[in-house]
Amino acid sequence: MSNNKKIEFSPESLALAHKLMKRYPEGKQKSAIIPILHIAQAEFDGWLSAPVMDYVASILKIQPIEVYEVASFYSMFNLKPVGKCVIEVCRTSSCWLLGAEDIIAHIGKKLNIKPGQTTADGMFTLKTVECLGSCGTAPMLQCGAKYHENLTLEKVDALLDELKREGKRKTYLDKI
Amino acid sequence: MGKKLLLAHDHVPGINTYEVYRQHGGYASVEKALKGMTPDAVTEEVKKSGLRGRGGAGFPTGMKWSFLAKPPGVPRYLVCNADESEPGTFKDRYLMERIPHLLIEGMITSSYALGARTSYIYIRGEYFYVSRILEKAIEEAYANGWLGQNILGTDYSLDLYVQVGAGAYICGEETALIESLEGKRGNPRIKPPFPAVAGLWGCPTVVNNVETIAAVVPIVNEGGEAYAKIGIGKSTGTKLISASGHINKPGVYEIELGVPVEEFIYSEQYCGGIRGGRKLKAVVAGGSSVPILSAELILKTAKGEPRLMTYESLSDGGFQTGTMLGSGGFIVMDETTSIVKNLWNFTRFYHHESCGQCSPCREGTGWMEKILHKILDGHGTMADIDLLWDIQSKIEGKTICPLGEAAAWPVAAAIRHFRAEFEEYVKNPQNIKDVKHYYRLNNLQPA
Ligand SMILES: Cc1cc2nc3c(=O)[nH]c(=O)nc-3n(C[C@H](O)[C@H](O)[C@H](O)COP(=O)(O)O)c2cc1C
Ligand code: SF4
Ligand code: FES
């Protein structure tokens, strides 16, 4: 993210944020914090910088610390820059039983990164995550909004190639 | 064969749309309840049905509803728990994705029974795309007069919203969920007060699982007594089972409670047997938190009776020889599975997900993970196995929420039923192919 980029939601995102805040009784607008942080993360390069969180605090009319507290609790919020495509591989129970370790090792080798790291070209971040509720189609990974299930090493290769060719940022808010 | 109440139409093309759902009898329970029943009469049917919470604890739903405090002038809330993060569980996602209107219909009928005027569905953040499916269904329900002001011309009004989380297993615990819905970290609250008295924003609140709320629809349509006739004893009705692991046909199955475990694992109608014709080694029957059982004990109780898929039969023998139905996350492990490594995987999960408020949970899960790691690396001692046992025994009953117990039970059960395997890791690491660090250190080739 360039340093001089002004931190401000697009008009659509700002309207959506205000619409979300109306879902709660008067005075309880803080409840919209998680949905609004999702919008912020999607809009500002896939992660939540301190200035972005301060901006969210100003929308909700709460203290910045209240936003940091929440953002740091939930695993879907990235507090450091990430690649355009965050590859989140499930490493829990059923996925593990059916080869998640091999999938993680394979992606790591192919991209030359360890879990938690980002490729030099800024395209991919590899992340290991806990059960995503897709155990019947294990092993699986999530990238942006989309679940990729019943993985094989070949499928993973094809997916990474396709994502790279597309070169687009993937977010949880993507319409799929 | 088995009667289906929730997934009867899951394969009908377009059942996710309002029109098709309506053509298949959708929203009849709202009509029946709002036009012909008092809210208490709806609760009465739920009581008669014997429905028990499908989120994991199995608490009778009608009784939970009747505990809801009703001080005049104070709003009451119904919150649907769609956090579904218990490893091995994926039934709620299936239901919401396939038949979103069933959950919406259940929310309307249940909110009416509880006198809630605003209700929320709290869904885990990773299911963002599912939240869009639900929002579309809610929009359709508003457009057709099932939500909003004066539903069906009655004086009952309801607003329904979907709230997304952002990745935290603990937010499935109902008070953590409420905290999260209030826009805070998901730290469970000390109880009492229970949510029925002081829940969301301090108001009386009922939290119910997705499947529980969906089950209210057939209960109201066909009557509580008809529902109670399905199943065995206090395990009434049908249950969605998420079947995964080393089986031929993983997936979500709606069973009538009472199906024998053996039939569930081996029949073509359900799991279709173990992959590659291998032997069954162990099963975690109700999500990662419930005690693991060996093949012998999951198929037959200690008394030698066939084990059934019911709350009572699965828990027959207590934790000595039994387990729990839990969330219905049925994880099957074949003979190639390392119980020690599987336990390490689970324990690592609980350590990662502990919110950190209570020392026994925060520290205990970390210690157990480290000891298991040491054993897995081929450096464990017999004293380590006893230490693991000791630590797990000091978590139960000493924490704010049941996550501590959920972390302790799998450890206790794995040692109880598979102690010999832990000892083998300690005594003969050279015979085990997982102990990579031991090989490296001793310059050995994997077995
Ligand atoms: C650590 C923990 C995680 C839980 N996760 C879930 C969950 O993902 N979904 C759920 O419905 N209940 C979950 N529960 C149970 C809830 O606290 C609560 O009992 C349930 O939502 C009540 O609904 P029910 O009576 O309809 O089952 C969890 C409990 C604990 C202690
Ligand atoms: S038991 Fe664990 S998860 Fe539950 S409140 Fe205590 S520290 Fe948090
Ligand atoms: S264990 Fe991977 S999705 Fe559940």
Side-chain angles (χ1 to χ4, degrees):
Chain A
M1 186 169 62
S2 66
N3 287 331
N4 49 14
K5 184 163 148 190
K6 187 148 193 262
I7 291 172
E8 205 166 68
F9 274 153
S10 67
E12 302 81 62
S13 295
L14 191 61
L16 179 57
H18 283 289
K19 187 176 146 203
L20 290 174
M21 283 154 68
K22 293 204 183 79
R23 294 179 162 187
Y24 318 98
E26 198 48 46
K28 308 294 180 196
Q29 275 51 51
K30 185 180 170 178
S31 283
I33 188 166
I34 290 176
I36 293 178
L37 282 173
H38 275 300
I39 299 172
Q41 179 161 288
E43 191 147 327
F44 301 109
D45 302 324
W47 71 291
L48 299 169
S49 64
V52 165
M53 290 191 276
D54 294 349
Y55 174 67
V56 169
S58 73
I59 293 178
L60 287 165
K61 301 196 173 69
I62 56 179
Q63 294 301 318
I65 181 73
E66 295 177 76
V67 181
Y68 306 162
E69 261 177 8
V70 168
S72 60
F73 186 84
Y74 296 93
S75 63
M76 290 171 77
F77 293 135
N78 301 311
L79 301 182
K80 286 194 197 121
V82 290
K84 283 186 178 165
C85 298
V86 183
I87 307 291
E88 304 184 87
V89 191
C90 171
R91 61 176 177 183
T92 325
S93 55
S94 309
C95 287
W96 172 78
L97 285 172
L98 294 170
E101 284 185 329
D102 295 340
I103 302 281
I104 296 163
H106 181 76
I107 298 174
K109 209 162 145 200
K110 189 172 162 103
L111 300 177
N112 198 20
I113 48 175
K114 291 203 181 83
Q117 295 179 338
T118 300
T119 53
D121 62 359
M123 188 62 216
F124 295 107
T125 297
L126 175 59
K127 201 166 159 181
T128 51
V129 294
E130 306 300 347
C131 179
L132 292 178
S134 188
C135 335
T137 42
M140 65 82 64
L141 65 80
Q142 175 166 28
C143 179
K146 203 166 159 54
Y147 277 26
H148 300 272
E149 308 174 272
N150 293 311
L151 293 177
T152 58
L153 300 186
E154 294 73 38
K155 271 198 191 172
V156 169
D157 284 341
L159 172 67
L160 293 178
D161 291 346
E162 190 195 318
L163 291 171
K164 181 140 192 180
R165 207 169 333 110
E166 268 185 40
K168 277 218 254 350
R169 180 172 297 285
K170 298 285 178 191
T171 83
Y172 298 121
L173 275 61
D174 292 344
K175 298 212 165 95
I176 54 170
Chain B
M1 290 243 311
K3 194 168 164 73
K4 290 192 176 179
L5 300 177
L6 305 181
L7 303 184
H9 305 300
D10 64 335
H11 284 293
V12 174
I15 195 71
N16 59 332
T17 64
Y18 174 75
E19 289 73 26
V20 178
Y21 181 72
R22 184 81 177 123
Q23 279 158 21
H24 286 80
Y27 290 96
S29 78
V30 177
E31 229 159 359
K32 186 170 174 185
L34 267 62
K35 292 218 163 143
M37 297 168 80
T38 63
D40 286 345
V42 177
T43 302
E44 203 45 47
E45 288 306 315
V46 174
K47 271 193 188 161
K48 274 192 227 156
S49 75
L51 174 67
R52 293 164 68 173
R54 302 301 195 217
F59 192 82
T61 307
M63 201 190 296
K64 184 172 192 169
W65 286 12
S66 63
F67 290 157
L68 185 68
K70 295 182 175 153
V74 179
R76 307 191 275 277
Y77 295 102
L78 172 63
V79 179
C80 172
N81 189 341
D83 192 60
E84 191 167 73
S85 313
E86 173 85 357
T89 315
F90 46 98
K91 65 186 176 81
D92 296 339
R93 169 175 165 237
Y94 183 86
L95 192 152
M96 293 186 286
E97 201 174 332
R98 291 280 175 134
I99 327 174
H101 283 283
L102 182 62
L103 176 59
I104 309 307
E105 177 177 356
M107 284 300 284
I108 302 167
T109 305
S110 305
S111 298
Y112 171 72
L114 296 167
R117 299 283 169 139
T118 307
S119 296
Y120 298 91
I121 299 171
Y122 181 99
I123 186 167
R124 64 180 298 182
E126 294 90 340
Y127 288 179
F128 215 107
Y129 79 97
V130 184
S131 78
R132 290 199 190 280
I133 295 172
L134 290 177
E135 281 186 336
K136 176 153 180 284
I138 289 175
E139 237 170 68
E140 291 176 320
Y142 270 105
N144 290 282
W146 301 101
L147 280 168
Q149 293 297 311
N150 302 103
I151 300 169
L152 300 177
T154 65
D155 60 9
Y156 183 65
S157 305
L158 174 68
D159 284 314
L160 177 60
Y161 302 109
V162 181
Q163 174 91 358
V164 291
Y169 167 64
I170 192 57
C171 288
E173 194 280 332
E174 57 186 10
T175 60
L177 185 153
I178 290 170
E179 287 283 300
S180 181
L181 185 45
E182 290 184 2
K184 300 182 223 152
R185 293 165 77 90
N187 287 338
R189 295 177 179 170
I190 293 175
K191 290 174 265 190
F194 288 92
V197 175
L200 184 59
W201 301 305
C203 302
T205 303
V206 166
V207 180
N208 272 136
N209 174 257
V210 171
E211 186 188 346
T212 312
I213 301 224
V216 171
V217 172
I219 288 170
V220 169
N221 282 335
E222 290 164 39
E225 271 165 31
Y227 187 89
K229 285 205 182 98
I230 303 166
I232 296 180
K234 284 186 177 166
S235 295
T236 62
T238 64
K239 173 89 189 85
L240 300 182
I241 305 293
S242 318
S244 70
H246 297 137
I247 46 176
N248 283 317
K249 290 169 55 198
V252 176
Y253 296 101
E254 180 170 12
I255 61 162
E256 285 187 24
L257 285 165
V259 172
V261 172
E262 184 158 7
E263 179 184 337
F264 185 70
I265 296 177
Y266 290 102
S267 84
E268 277 311 307
Q269 197 189 342
Y270 302 116
C271 303
I274 312 298
R275 278 192 195 180
R278 294 208 186 98
K279 262 173 51 194
L280 175 67
K281 179 167 184 179
V283 171
V284 174
S288 61
S289 307
V290 311
I292 190 172
L293 288 184
S294 63
E296 298 71 49
L297 280 175
I298 189 70
L299 298 175
K300 286 200 166 59
T301 65
K303 294 177 222 145
E305 289 162 359
R307 185 90 70 182
L308 309 178
M309 300 284 276
T310 63
Y311 292 95
E312 293 73 25
S313 180
L314 282 167
S315 61
D316 188 283
F319 278 5
Q320 284 307 313
T321 58
T323 180
M324 282 159 69
L325 178 61
S327 65
F330 197 87
I331 311 170
V332 179
M333 300 174 196
D334 73 15
E335 56 188 325
T336 64
T337 312
S338 161
I339 298 296
V340 180
K341 198 160 183 205
N342 179 70
L343 181 64
W344 165 77
N345 186 289
F346 280 1
T347 306
R348 179 198 51 71
F349 169 81
Y350 288 107
H351 182 211
H352 183 260
E353 298 299 330
S354 167
C355 84
Q357 287 189 106
C358 326
S359 324
C361 170
R362 181 189 63 236
E363 303 302 325
T365 52
W367 294 344
M368 294 193 297
E369 183 194 347
K370 279 187 195 149
I371 295 168
L372 282 162
H373 202 260
K374 182 180 166 196
I375 296 176
L376 265 187
D377 268 349
H379 305 302
T381 64
M382 296 301 248
D384 284 331
I385 304 175
D386 296 330
L387 184 57
L388 265 181
W389 183 269
D390 190 51
I391 296 170
Q392 69 77 23
S393 72
K394 288 179 173 141
I395 300 176
E396 191 171 349
K398 295 179 179 66
T399 56
I400 293 174
C401 92
L403 186 141
E405 274 134 44
W409 294 338
V411 175
I415 298 178
R416 187 178 288 125
H417 301 302
F418 296 94
R419 191 176 173 109
E421 202 171 316
F422 287 81
E423 293 183 354
E424 183 66 9
Y425 267 81
V426 168
K427 287 190 216 151
N428 298 309
Q430 72 280 1
N431 293 345
I432 294 164
K433 72 173 191 308
D434 288 322
V435 291
K436 298 197 181 92
H437 188 256
Y438 178 87
Y439 294 136
R440 235 180 296 129
L441 213 67
N442 294 292
N443 230 349
L444 289 171
Q445 284 303 311

